[in-house]
């Protein structure tokens, strides 16, 4: 996978937003001594919000869907690899692997291979 930009954050707290300049999904990784949250929440549909745990592992998320970081306690760092130039990838799904809590309601994108 390629990326054109890297965001490095420390103790980021943001409200729900859409990454309007992204041309495809991003990869996020969070690190640090934090607990009680710090996941990336993504609005998959009007009735379904998935929380992706990126602590110590990468999550692939389409930031062109509404998303935010859930409240947490402690010190949290994140690395967000994203693409803002080149061919636009079609929006197919907000998340690219089902987290355990939404697996039964998750509809995979056409290219998903478990």
């Amino acid at each position: 996978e390629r990326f054109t930009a890297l965001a490095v954050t420390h103790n980021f707290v943001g409200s729900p937003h859409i990454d309007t300049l992204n041309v495809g999904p991003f990869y996020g990784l969070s690190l640090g001594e934090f607990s009680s949250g710090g996941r990336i929440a993504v609005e998959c549909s009007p009735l379904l919000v998935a929380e992706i745990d990126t602590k110590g592992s990468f999550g692939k998320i389409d930031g062109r869907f509404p998303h935010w970081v859930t409240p947490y306690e402690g010190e949290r760092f994140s690395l967000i690899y994203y693409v803002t130039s080149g061919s636009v990838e079609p929006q197919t799904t907000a998340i690219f692997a089902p987290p355990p809590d939404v697996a039964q309601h998750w509809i995979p994108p056409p290219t998903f291979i478990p």
Side-chain angles (χ1 to χ4, degrees):
E1 301 283 332
R2 68 180 182 90
F3 65 98
T4 59
L6 171 63
V8 180
T9 69
H10 178 238
N11 290 338
F12 178 78
V13 177
S15 59
H17 65 280
I18 295 173
D19 299 330
T20 58
L21 298 179
N22 288 15
V23 297
F26 70 79
Y27 286 88
L29 169 71
S30 58
L31 306 162
E33 297 297 323
F34 64 93
S35 60
S36 302
R39 295 177 182 88
I40 300 176
V42 186
E43 188 177 295
C44 299
S45 74
L47 300 176
L48 178 65
V49 173
E51 290 189 7
I52 308 302
D53 187 359
T54 60
K55 187 173 186 178
S57 62
F58 280 98
K60 184 178 180 183
I61 296 149
D62 194 329
R64 298 171 293 178
F65 287 83
H67 63 284
W68 59 96
V69 175
T70 63
Y72 58 91
E73 296 176 9
E75 188 170 42
R76 182 181 181 275
F77 297 87
S78 68
L79 302 173
I80 306 295
Y81 297 83
Y82 58 102
V83 182
T84 58
S85 63
S87 300
V88 175
E89 292 185 36
Q91 286 180 262
T92 57
T93 185
I95 59 175
F96 291 82
D101 58 334
V102 299
Q104 65 187 13
H105 304 290
W106 184 68
I107 300 171
T111 58
F112 179 74
I113 301 172

